[in-house]
Amino acid sequence: MTALTGPSAATFWATSLRRWNTVCWVLFAAMAFGIAAMGRPGGEMYGALGLLGCVVLGYALLDRFPGNRIVRPHGYLAVLALALGGLAYLRTSYAALFMVTLPHYWMFGRTPRISMGFLGLATFTTLLGSWLQLGWSAEFLGETAVSTLIVVAVGVLIGLWAHSVVEQSTERARLIDELERAQAQLSAAHQRQGAADERERLAREIHDTLAQGFASIVVLAEAARAGLAADPGRSAQQLRSIESTARENLAEARELVGSGGSQGQVAAGSVAGTLRRVLDRFAEDTGLAVDADLADPECDQQTRIALLRCTQESLANVRKHARASTVGVVLARLPYGVELEITDDGTGFVVEESTGFGLDGMRKRLAELGGRLTVTSSVGDGTRILATVPLAGGTEGTA
């Protein structure tokens, strides 16, 4: 068996020692009184009192000054074993002292191996002292040896049981402590992951709303400034678009702040009507031809928002990069869900080399709804964006 360590074992033995102190002092006093009252004055009585006094003094030092450097626990147990042998030889109260101090071997030994070793030493010295006095007599064999071995056997069983209980309690305490630490670490990890997810979601919302609006304002402002002299009417219309976009951005900013970054009531109502307004504004601001075929499926708010953000991001990419002349938008209700397709006849790009935040944001937004984004493009052949979102009651994969 291994040594018991940890706060549970230390607490157990400290508590046991405190409880046994009162009993020990009473019994020590009774033994001293018995030796003095019943023994005849002489060397044997004084020797017995001296041996008992050594045990009491050592125990008192350990009890009152546990950290003293004079009497250590193992030294006390050695003195106790020798005192028991001397009292057995003098035939004076050795049996009572043996039973009174039996718990000390387990309290001060701390490990089963050390406790058993000192208990064996005490048993040997007790039997040796009695044998030196009585020899191989019937009294020695029938009373001293048998009674001593019975007491020792009972003490060993009780001590081993107590150590087993403490060891199990220590192991349970260790496991509980590990579990609590693991739960705390898991909770902290969840908090960190939740904060990271929230930052990413908020960054996506800002990119898809405010950033796109500011980019649109910059493009419109540049176009209006360039056309002030040649086409004042067109510039005035672009300035109105700038004002309208700025107001929408202000409303989006207030919504993000007021709802803590949630999606709020954006895109509430008909998805086809919402996309139609976005496409009309895009055509008005850019002058590009927009060919739209928009069904009006019944969608929940999250799906409407996802379709709207995908449309806005795709149109922003067309405005900034494609140099297209025509944009096509098709919104269709299919048996397994809803499908949004946006195409342009612009310059195209290499999909594998794209590192922009917009496409990745669209993929993550659709993935949260169980949907998927497919991007098809090549240099000089335009671009096709296909967003699919499953709807409740749909059958995936049907024609």
Side-chain angles (χ1 to χ4, degrees), residues 7 16 21 30 58 61 92 101 120 129 133 137 139 169 198 206 216-217 256-257 260 273 309 345 364:
S16 300
N21 275 345
L61 285 174
T92 308
T101 59
Q133 183 65 253
S137 65
E139 182 181 357
S169 299
E198 181 61 18
I206 292 174
S216 177
I217 288 174
L256 287 173
V257 172
R309 299 309 185 208
D345 59 355
K364 290 181 178 180

Side-chain angles (χ1 to χ4, degrees), residues 255-309:
E255 183 66 32
L256 287 173
V257 172
S259 60
S262 65
Q263 296 166 334
Q265 298 300 317
V266 179
S270 167
V271 63
T274 301
L275 296 186
R276 175 64 67 183
R277 290 191 294 272
V278 172
L279 295 174
D280 290 344
R281 171 71 65 80
F282 176 79
E284 181 181 353
D285 292 343
T286 63
L288 299 181
V290 177
D291 182 13
D293 180 10
L294 304 177
D296 196 9
E298 292 185 3
C299 305
D300 58 27
Q301 184 181 359
Q302 288 186 326
T303 301
R304 288 195 299 271
I305 292 173
L307 295 174
L308 172 62
R309 299 309 185 208

Side-chain angles (χ1 to χ4, degrees), residues 204-205 208-209 212 252 256 263 266-267 275 303-315 340 362 365:
R204 189 171 63 219
E205 289 297 324
D208 291 347
T209 56
Q212 296 292 6
E252 291 281 3
L256 287 173
Q263 296 166 334
V266 179
L275 296 186
T303 301
R304 288 195 299 271
I305 292 173
L307 295 174
L308 172 62
R309 299 309 185 208
C310 287
T311 302
Q312 290 173 325
E313 177 64 27
S314 299
L315 295 179
L340 173 66
M362 282 194 285
R365 188 184 292 276

Side-chain angles (χ1 to χ4, degrees), residues 367-387:
E368 291 174 357
L369 302 176
R372 182 174 57 184
L373 182 73
T374 303
V375 181
T376 306
S377 183
S378 59
V379 177
D381 290 333
T383 301
R384 176 176 178 263
I385 304 291
L386 181 64

